[in-house]
Amino acid sequence: MDEAIRRAAQQISEARKGVPQIRSFFDEATNTASYVVHDPETHHAAIIDSVLDYDAAAGRTAFGSADAIIAYVREQGLKVEWLLETHAHADHLSAAPYLQEKLGGELAIGKAILTVQATFGKLFNEGTEFARDGSQFDHLFEDGDQFTIGNLKATVLHVPGHTPADLAYVIGDATFTGDTLFMPDYGTARADFPGGDARTLYRSIRRLLTLPAATRLFLCHDYKAPGRDDYRWETTVAEQRAGNVHVHDGIDEEGFVAMREARDATLEMPKLILPSIQVNMRGGHLPEPEGNGTRYLKIPLDAL
């Protein structure tokens, strides 16, 4: 067992008195689950993977999803310490800057965001004014880093594969997996984006599944598996190991890679990938206004 996983497992086993309170917010338009996680003793909180409403046809942004989080935070009397991103999402725009303006907190993501910024900075032909050093974020985490939310202990796990920069956050006895895993009846995340890799994803997932069996896993998305009519985004390590249709115990690396690559070859690009990446690689900030005062998003043709 590697050191970061050992620390996370120890944290989970010792978390009986430090169980976080978790409130989920599901955005059906993007199938995204956002979370407010707080320490019941100090009322300090973190917000994970927030959503900025975006109407692609009209090119309009709105704050309904973020405002629901703000209302909850204020109702509960919470103090936001962290705005956590599991990765630079390709399916929704982050509302982190808006939430930070209203609620405070430090914006954090994995250090490998520099790789994402370099790759997509080229794709979008960004000029020298676009910093590729992660400075749009307040903190860049590395594998095994630890931090606190009030009295809650948290451990960072680097789980690349879906993208190079994916993180899982182990907070108390709960783990927020980002896009590595979906519900057991739906499977796993795709690995065909620039910098993604199915073999790396398998290893990241198996690493997560070495955490204690009772570990609660909170997922970033749900799409309703065939035969299921409700959205779900909470499971456990034990349930994933026993029943994940793509990566349950007994599925070896070669079998997973063959399945994942074949499946990914049939998938269309996410509808919001181009606006999402442009915004999220900037920490959720929109591109600067041009001379006429209007902000613009680029659409590179025949590039993906």
Side-chain angles (χ1 to χ4, degrees):
M1 183 181 294
D2 65 65
E3 181 61 19
I5 286 288
R6 187 196 65 76
R7 288 181 189 172
Q10 182 178 358
Q11 174 190 305
I12 291 166
S13 67
E14 294 174 351
R16 306 297 176 236
K17 295 181 180 179
V19 176
Q21 297 296 304
I22 300 167
R23 171 72 154 82
S24 59
F25 295 81
F26 190 74
D27 179 61
E28 191 167 347
T30 62
N31 298 93
T32 302
S34 304
Y35 300 96
V36 177
V37 186
H38 81 265
D39 172 18
E41 293 183 353
T42 66
H43 282 199
H44 287 205
I47 299 170
I48 303 176
D49 289 338
S50 61
V51 173
L52 177 70
D53 302 329
Y54 178 66
D55 181 340
R60 290 192 173 275
T61 59
F63 303 103
S65 297
D67 285 338
I69 290 176
I70 291 170
Y72 173 78
V73 166
R74 290 176 174 167
E75 284 172 8
Q76 298 296 313
L78 305 180
K79 176 180 174 56
V80 174
E81 287 193 81
W82 293 96
L83 300 153
L84 303 174
E85 299 288 344
T86 55
H87 63 295
H89 306 275
D91 40 35
H92 71 272
L93 283 63
S94 170
Y98 176 75
L99 291 168
Q100 188 173 45
E101 177 186 345
K102 301 293 184 182
L103 299 172
E106 291 193 43
L107 174 57
I109 200 167
K111 189 173 182 179
I113 189 64
L114 276 66
T115 301
V116 175
Q117 289 177 332
T119 299
F120 285 96
K122 291 178 182 177
L123 176 67
F124 292 113
N125 196 32
E126 298 288 351
T128 56
E129 67 276 7
F130 172 59
R132 295 160 171 82
D133 59 1
S135 57
Q136 301 87 347
F137 300 85
D138 299 310
H139 194 89
L140 301 180
F141 284 121
E142 297 189 67
D143 186 57
D145 282 351
Q146 294 187 300
F147 63 101
T148 59
I149 304 167
N151 294 329
L152 293 173
K153 294 180 179 179
T155 300
V156 177
L157 300 175
H158 184 212
V159 287
H162 172 61
T163 78
D166 283 64
L167 296 182
Y169 295 102
V170 183
I171 302 174
D173 70 334
T175 299
F176 299 84
T177 66
D179 283 16
T180 53
L181 285 162
F182 298 139
M183 289 299 293
D185 58 359
Y186 199 87
T188 58
R190 65 194 299 166
D192 61 332
F193 296 151
D197 180 75
R199 193 172 301 278
T200 303
L201 178 62
Y202 177 85
R203 294 173 184 177
S204 291
I205 290 171
R206 295 311 306 181
R207 187 175 182 229
L208 282 173
L209 296 184
T210 65
L211 292 171
T215 303
R216 296 184 291 164
L217 302 180
F218 292 87
L219 317 179
C220 192
H221 296 288
D222 188 56
Y223 302 95
K224 293 182 181 176
R228 173 158 57 83
D229 295 327
D230 59 325
Y231 290 110
R232 302 175 191 173
W233 47 84
E234 181 181 352
T235 179
T236 66
V237 165
E239 289 169 351
Q240 293 283 7
R241 293 187 63 165
N244 187 289
V245 294
H246 293 168
V247 73
H248 61 76
D249 287 355
I251 300 289
D252 66 13
E253 185 172 315
E254 297 304 323
F256 175 83
V257 169
M259 176 282 302
R260 188 69 266 171
E261 290 181 347
R263 180 174 171 81
D264 288 350
T266 71
L267 300 177
E268 296 181 353
M269 285 289 105
K271 293 179 181 179
L272 296 183
I273 184 171
L274 295 175
S276 294
I277 294 294
Q278 283 178 82
V279 170
N280 295 336
M281 71 182 185
R282 291 177 162 87
H285 293 279
L286 300 176
E288 290 298 316
E290 297 195 6
N292 61 357
T294 300
R295 302 176 191 269
Y296 292 88
L297 294 170
K298 295 180 180 179
I299 304 295
L301 298 178
D302 304 317
L304 287 178

